[in-house]
Amino acid sequence: MKSSRRSSSFAPVTFFLALIIVALGTIQLVSTFHTYALNLAELNSLRNQEAALVAKKAQLENDIARWDDDAYVTAQARERLGFVFPGERSVRVLHPEVVGGTSAKTNDRSTVSAENNQNLPWYKDMLASFEKADEQTAKSDGQTSASQTDDSDQTGGTGQTGGTTQTK
């Protein structure tokens, strides 16, 4: 009777002990799989980075191979530095739109100046903006002075100014 009492009193303790062991094993297993997933994601990221670096390396090696070609070096010296061969004459066009055939006599100068301003350095772009603002204020000042002249003509030549009333 003593042995049956002992085994029955230890049954809940062994059950809870087994439950704790299973819970700890599950936690350890989940932690292991989580670490595996993180390492797998990092491995894929590193593989993508390696592929990008290999492509960049191939591009740089291609650039180095192009610089070994004398024709490419000559073309780059002409384009970037403006070099010419002896006996040749260098011509630089300051206003390519005149040479290109687009009409400079168009009435819409704002589109032409807007296209030119896109390629200007920041300080010239700022100066062009100031000039454009000055043109707009000059136009509005011209309209204001014309309306004032019309008002003085409407007074009947009496020399009185400000004889008009404004209603809102």
Side-chain angles (χ1 to χ4, degrees), residues 41-79:
E42 184 180 359
L43 179 65
N44 288 335
S45 172
L46 289 173
R47 284 182 181 162
N48 291 339
Q49 187 178 7
E50 178 190 18
L53 289 174
V54 166
K56 187 174 181 178
K57 178 185 174 193
Q59 179 188 4
L60 292 173
E61 287 175 347
N62 187 20
D63 288 345
I64 290 172
R66 279 193 287 170
W67 281 102
D68 288 337
D69 184 18
D70 290 337
Y72 181 77
V73 172
T74 303
Q76 291 300 312
R78 286 176 174 264
E79 181 182 327

Side-chain angles (χ1 to χ4, degrees), residues 74 77-79 81-92:
T74 303
R78 286 176 174 264
E79 181 182 327
L81 304 174
F83 285 3
V84 293
F85 285 115
E88 289 183 342
R89 191 180 240 179
S90 176
V91 176
R92 180 164 293 178

